[in-house]
Amino acid sequence: MNAPVLVDIRDRIATLTLNRPDKLNALNYETVDLLLRTLDELESDPGVRVLIVTGAGDRAFSAGADIREFSESVRQGTAAAVRDFVRRGQRMTARMESYRKPIIAAVNGYAFGGGCEITEAVPLAIASDRALFAKPEIRLGMPPTFGGTQRLSRLSGRKRSLHLLLTGERFSAERALEVGLVNAVVPHDDLLPAARDLATCIASQSPLAVTAILTAVTRGLNLAIDEGLQVESEQFASLVPSRDLREGIDAWIERREPAFPGC
Ligand code: COA
């Protein structure tokens, strides 16, 4: 129970809990490394179709990178700071962004700095009405480094993200919904049930089609439209020989529910 990331697998849904509640689930190197290893394991686990990420305790999703720890890397100089702090954090958010299974952030409290960047990187997010977001790095005299200067602008537009990045001000779950950072805001006690409902719905779909859609949308967003259409076409082409596509079409023709076997 002392591991910095807890994993609970039920009904094809893996719930990952960031577990340093006395530090508001700050992302120290050990947490990031364990998160990356856990993602590796779950990606190839056929018993898991959807992941939920949330925070332990009743205060925080995550208050961001562990400032005390990365300040030591900064003290060691540029090479150590970039290698140990920046690259590690960017690896984590990039992995979540391009993960082959959907990850839903269930934002249960503070999502500051790296906690906000995880929310930006994952494909889906639901926030408790008690969640509070911020891009506070500016107050430490630095830009965000886990993708926070890149993904929020793509989600919400340049001016909205620059306002949040340059002021560091806190913003509510409702504001996060308005700027496109989360899909929904729900009463605090409904957060995990709402995340599980969404996960259950997606877990019943064809896992191959889910991965194809995640890949096409996420890759396509950073491409010109004609290249994005090529990715879309390739994703479809890769499914043509699959049992999932045959089953989905046959089930529609035979007027029955499809049963998708999985990867
Ligand atoms: N890194 C390291 N430790 C952190 C942390 C972080 N990002 N955020 C919180 N903690 C630790 C605190 O040091 C404290 O530990 P301690 O009791 O051993 O000193 C504990 O978590 C509780 O935090 P505390 O600051 O006492 O709670 P609070 O209610 O007064 O304030 C916040 C909550 C979120 C406003 C405040 O913790 C904060 O500003 N955190 C940093 C946010 C940030 O700048 N993140 C971006 C980092 S790049």
Side-chain angles (χ1 to χ4, degrees):
M1 285 300 282
N2 287 331
V5 180
L6 303 178
V7 183
D8 171 64
I9 302 177
R10 262 180 302 146
D11 303 328
R12 304 186 293 189
I13 301 165
T15 302
L16 277 52
T17 304
L18 304 170
N19 186 37
R20 297 181 75 213
D22 54 333
K23 300 290 180 193
L24 302 182
N25 304 318
L27 299 162
N28 61 358
Y29 298 159
E30 187 193 359
T31 304
V32 174
D33 291 346
L34 181 56
L35 202 47
L36 280 164
R37 286 202 303 279
T38 305
L39 290 172
D40 284 347
E41 282 165 21
L42 296 177
E43 194 168 50
S44 56
D45 183 339
V48 171
R49 291 200 181 176
V50 183
L51 280 63
I52 294 171
V53 179
T54 194
D58 56 6
R59 297 192 61 206
F61 176 67
S62 170
D66 189 304
I67 299 170
R68 282 195 184 79
E69 186 178 51
F70 85 71
S71 77
E72 282 307 312
S73 303
V74 169
R75 233 183 286 278
Q76 287 167 30
T78 306
V82 171
R83 181 191 62 226
D84 296 340
F85 170 53
V86 178
R87 296 268 180 258
R88 182 184 254 115
Q90 289 189 348
R91 237 185 347 265
M92 172 186 70
T93 50
R95 188 81 172 94
M96 291 177 148
E97 181 178 45
S98 58
Y99 203 64
R100 294 175 63 77
K101 299 178 182 182
I103 303 177
I104 302 169
V107 185
N108 56 310
Y110 290 123
F112 283 16
C116 192
E117 287 166 306
I118 287 178
T119 312
E120 292 158 22
V122 295
L124 295 161
I126 300 180
S128 142
D129 55 4
R130 289 194 215 155
L132 200 56
F133 298 80
K135 316 278 301 171
E137 292 88 346
I138 184 91
R139 299 181 185 197
L140 299 171
M142 56 182 259
T145 54
F146 296 179
T149 62
Q150 301 303 306
R151 295 192 180 95
L152 188 61
S153 312
R154 286 166 167 80
L155 283 171
S156 71
R158 178 168 173 252
K159 286 192 171 56
R160 283 195 194 95
S161 82
L162 277 171
H163 178 93
L164 298 170
L165 286 160
L166 295 176
T167 62
E169 71 187 22
R170 298 171 181 193
F171 56 103
S172 66
E174 283 301 331
R175 183 72 185 136
L177 183 64
E178 281 166 16
V179 303
L181 179 56
V182 301
N183 295 84
V185 180
V186 297
H188 187 74
D189 291 341
D190 296 345
L191 179 64
L192 284 180
R196 285 193 72 83
D197 282 352
L198 178 58
T200 302
C201 172
I202 298 170
S204 71
Q205 318 283 2
S206 153
L208 298 177
V210 167
T211 300
I213 290 169
L214 286 172
T215 305
V217 171
T218 304
R219 275 207 212 138
L221 265 179
N222 297 318
L223 297 172
I225 183 81
D226 52 344
E227 294 169 77
L229 290 170
Q230 184 58 32
V231 175
E232 182 180 272
S233 161
E234 286 163 11
Q235 290 302 311
F236 174 76
S238 73
L239 297 193
V240 169
S242 73
R243 279 171 54 200
D244 279 16
L245 179 56
R246 194 65 267 154
E247 167 64 8
I249 292 172
D250 286 350
W252 189 88
I253 292 170
E254 292 160 17
R255 296 179 181 274
R256 60 176 174 80
E257 285 299 310
F260 293 116
C263 311

